[in-house]
Amino acid sequence: MWDTARLPCADRFALGWAAVTAALPERTSEVGRAVVACALSVAWAGLAGTVSVVAGLASGALALVAFGLDSVIDGSASAVLVWRLRTELRHPSSAARTARVERVAAKAVGAAMVAAAAYVGVQAIPVLAAGSAARAEPVALILLAASVVVLPGLGVYKLRLARELESVALRGDGVLSAAGAALALVALAGAGAQSWWGWWWSNPVAALVIACFLVREGVKTMRG
């Protein structure tokens, strides 16, 4: 008996398409829910990114600008997923087309994960090298707190739908949302640890651990 988990994502799609077609109405409903989840991620990334960049440029806080650019990376991955899922909705019976767009989306999302990890490394390594960290701006703390509230639910929901749809690309996008929530939580905890105990290193060290996880998951996602 074949171990389908070891097959490339395109082959898994083709192999299981007879079962998918039999359950087409249910799958279409799940794909529709995934489109909504990814669209919400795009909207949140656009809002957080715009506010961060505008506030950062106005106050001269480069960290806020960088946070906004990271939001753009996350939002771009979700936008790719919206395209991939809407393509399946328009052509629900085409296994070849669905497999092709899944493969393209998986590579794009994997690249976004590696880019996000690179962003985290660029931010964290100089802080460790300098031996100190700047205090977070109030606007940044508000955005981080909001991200902790919004992103975990989106991440878990997309990961669940990814399992049901057997979508490597959607799983990668869910990991990105979950990682965004983890980074936001780490940043908030790091701000508190720095303020109360002087642990300036806690935030960049934890962020680098998350970055390593993102690189591993990003490469895995690109390979399908």
Side-chain angles (χ1 to χ4, degrees):
M1 187 173 181
W2 291 355
D3 183 2
T4 58
R6 294 181 177 274
L7 293 174
C9 62
D11 292 343
R12 291 204 301 273
F13 264 98
L15 188 63
W17 200 255
V20 168
T21 304
L24 200 55
E26 180 182 353
R27 181 177 177 87
T28 299
S29 176
E30 291 171 346
V31 172
R33 292 197 295 271
V35 169
V36 172
C38 292
L40 287 174
S41 290
V42 173
W44 172 254
L47 175 63
T50 300
V51 172
S52 297
V53 170
V54 171
L57 292 176
S59 64
L62 295 180
L64 265 180
V65 177
F67 181 82
L69 294 177
D70 183 55
S71 296
V72 171
I73 293 174
D74 293 349
S76 298
S78 294
V80 170
L81 260 296
V82 170
W83 164 75
R84 175 258 182 268
L85 294 164
R86 286 178 63 86
T87 299
E88 181 173 346
L89 285 177
R90 288 195 299 269
H91 308 280
S93 300
S94 176
R97 186 187 298 269
T98 298
R100 186 168 61 252
V101 297
E102 168 71 15
R103 186 166 56 250
V104 172
K107 290 185 182 301
V109 171
M113 296 169 76
V114 174
Y119 153 81
V120 172
V122 167
Q123 292 296 307
I125 292 174
V127 172
L128 289 172
S132 64
R135 295 189 179 278
E137 296 284 335
V139 174
L141 294 176
I142 293 171
L143 284 171
L144 291 171
S147 295
V148 171
V149 173
V150 173
L151 293 179
L154 278 175
V156 170
Y157 189 49
K158 285 189 282 189
L159 288 172
R160 183 174 68 80
L161 288 171
R163 285 194 300 271
E164 295 173 359
L165 296 172
E166 297 185 0
S167 172
V168 174
L170 183 57
R171 180 185 178 278
D173 193 39
V175 169
L176 260 180
S177 295
L183 285 168
L185 183 60
V186 163
L188 283 175
Q194 181 183 357
S195 176
W196 296 326
W197 302 307
W199 292 359
W200 59 269
W201 47 266
S202 59
N203 189 346
V205 168
L208 284 175
V209 172
I210 295 173
C212 292
F213 168 77
L214 277 176
V215 169
R216 188 193 71 177
E217 291 297 313
V219 172
K220 179 180 177 181
T221 300
M222 285 190 284
R223 290 176 176 172

